[in-house]
Amino acid sequence: MNGQAAQKDGRSPAEDSASAVSVRAAGEADVDAAAVLFRGYLDFYEVDIEDPDAPRAFLAERIAKDESLVLLADVPEGGTVGFAQVYRGFSSLTLRTAWVLNDLYVAPAGRRTGAGRALLREVLRRAREAGVSGVQLETAYDNTVAQGLYEAEGFVREEFHVYFHDLG
């Protein structure tokens, strides 16, 4: 579907292209691909890690121990272009049990494909299905879009900290 047809039914071209994005949970065989994207995320925020293998080791441990949900976004002819890492089982005195989406990154090759939106949607869908009371969003993503998706899944925004930076 082209951009004009997408606009007629109320969707943006990015939303239309998101239908070509597939999102999957990362397993141990995906650690290398996830680590490349995680490194890109850290570089985006100018986080300097002296050990170049640190992102891979960190993700490998979290995936093996099932401490994080790591999702990867694939696009046709582009391969794996995005990832999201959710810290599960988060809780504090001010928040009921929740997940924390602290990492969401789409590589430059995956921008304008809808990969970021597809990842965020999948995180929220899985959280709702898991019965968590909310997702704490602390990630680089468009604030308006994220809030709309969050509320569309039935979560109440005012109950959880929502902190975004636009990827631009």
Side-chain angles (χ1 to χ4, degrees):
M1 183 181 291
N2 63 31
Q4 289 178 333
Q7 289 172 352
K8 285 181 185 175
D9 68 6
R11 294 183 299 166
S12 71
E15 286 178 294
D16 187 50
S17 64
S19 63
V21 177
S22 62
V23 177
R24 61 191 165 85
E28 292 182 19
D30 298 306
V31 171
D32 288 330
V36 168
L37 292 164
F38 190 52
R39 171 58 108 176
Y41 173 84
L42 296 172
D43 288 346
F44 180 81
Y45 284 106
E46 300 177 353
V47 175
D48 184 25
I49 293 183
E50 293 178 22
D51 179 1
D53 293 328
R56 186 191 189 289
F58 174 78
L59 288 175
E61 181 179 358
R62 296 200 68 93
I63 290 171
K65 291 183 176 179
D66 200 29
E67 293 175 348
S68 293
L69 170 64
V70 177
L71 298 175
L72 298 176
D74 299 313
V75 296
E77 300 178 17
T80 304
V81 297
F83 90 108
Q85 181 180 196
V86 178
Y87 299 86
R88 296 188 278 202
F90 175 82
S91 65
S92 75
L93 294 176
T94 58
L95 300 175
R96 296 190 308 268
T97 301
W99 288 0
V100 179
L101 173 61
N102 200 35
D103 308 325
L104 188 154
Y105 175 74
V106 177
R111 306 272 166 85
R112 302 185 191 278
T113 62
R117 178 187 297 266
L119 284 164
L120 184 52
R121 252 192 197 136
E122 184 66 8
V123 166
L124 295 170
R125 185 189 69 77
R126 287 176 181 243
R128 184 179 37 81
E129 286 182 356
V132 300
S133 53
V135 180
Q136 183 170 331
L137 303 171
E138 296 183 1
T139 191
Y141 198 73
D142 180 272
N143 191 9
T144 304
V145 171
Q147 288 181 23
L149 293 173
Y150 189 79
E151 292 168 355
E153 287 297 332
F155 295 117
V156 180
R157 181 172 51 104
E158 289 76 20
E159 293 183 8
F160 294 93
H161 177 65
V162 182
Y163 176 71
F164 303 99
H165 294 288
D166 193 343
L167 280 174

